[in-house]
Amino acid sequence: MYDLAEGIALFQRDTFPAKADLFAHLATTHRPHTLFVGCSDARVVPELITGSEPGELFVIRTAGNLVPAYHPAADGIAASVEYAVSALGVSRIVVCGHSGCGAMTALAENHDLSAMPTTAEWLRRAGASSTETVDTDKVSHLVRENVRAQVANLATHPAVARALAAHAITLHGWVFDIASGMVSAVDNP
């Protein structure tokens, strides 16, 4: 098993000194250009996929890369979206799904999630239901449809809607294929 303490020591010994100027700048500046909404899946690492440096991405990771449609009740995702757009002024939002997504597999294959009631409730918010499809690969079809649904959900958030109306932000949907490393664009709804 990977030792996190050894990883920290490696970071402090090798990575941090090589990027000391960047971290000194980041200590007083927080201006990411992109809000990246991705899945919590450990195989999907936004900074690695995009070749981004620390400070360039504001990242939200949720099971199934879900962003519920706006609701006035406070929640961490809505607050993070609002902060990224209104306070940080990101100019782009990317929703990135991925191949082999466990959340979308559970929806596509109607898995019994009764032992995980919180997860089951969360996935009901997907907005891309497990509707029957003629596509031979139900999971990859649902991954793409889910990305479209989450992009549409983002547009319901007041801060995003205002930024879209002002042409100050763009919304993008992507799917990352873990096996090939390829990223494909998903047309917006």
Side-chain angles (χ1 to χ4, degrees):
M1 176 180 251
Y2 182 77
D3 185 333
L4 295 177
E6 287 178 25
I8 291 169
L10 180 65
F11 169 77
Q12 292 172 336
R13 185 185 70 235
D14 297 336
T15 305
F16 186 84
K19 295 182 181 283
D21 289 342
L22 173 61
F23 283 104
H25 173 72
L26 292 175
T28 60
T29 305
H30 189 205
R31 285 280 163 227
H33 51 71
T34 301
L35 167 58
F36 190 102
V37 180
C39 187
S40 300
D41 192 305
R43 303 169 295 175
V44 181
V45 182
E47 294 82 0
L48 188 61
I49 294 167
T50 63
S52 297
E53 289 288 335
E56 294 182 333
L57 301 178
F58 191 82
V59 178
I60 299 172
R61 293 178 69 156
T62 70
N65 49 273
L66 301 187
V67 178
Y70 178 76
H71 185 275
D75 72 67
I77 296 169
S80 294
V81 168
E82 182 178 72
Y83 185 77
V85 175
S86 297
L88 299 176
V90 298
S91 60
R92 177 181 332 147
I93 302 177
V94 172
V95 176
C96 186
H98 67 92
S99 62
C101 179
M104 295 304 106
T105 299
L107 286 175
E109 298 177 358
N110 295 312
H111 288 183
D112 177 9
L113 299 175
S114 58
M116 296 185 289
T118 306
T119 301
E121 179 60 30
W122 177 249
L123 294 181
R124 283 188 200 94
R125 300 176 179 204
S129 66
S130 58
T131 56
E132 289 303 315
T133 176
V134 295
D135 194 53
T136 55
D137 187 351
K138 288 173 71 172
V139 174
S140 67
H141 175 79
L142 191 57
V143 165
R144 293 184 80 72
E145 290 306 308
N146 181 56
V147 167
R148 281 188 188 94
Q150 303 322 306
V151 169
N153 284 349
L154 274 164
T156 69
H157 289 249
V160 175
R162 283 190 301 273
L164 285 168
H167 303 288
I169 201 164
T170 57
L171 304 180
H172 306 273
W174 294 353
V175 173
F176 170 62
D177 182 74
I178 295 170
S180 71
M182 298 299 296
V183 175
S184 60
V186 175
D187 294 332
N188 291 341

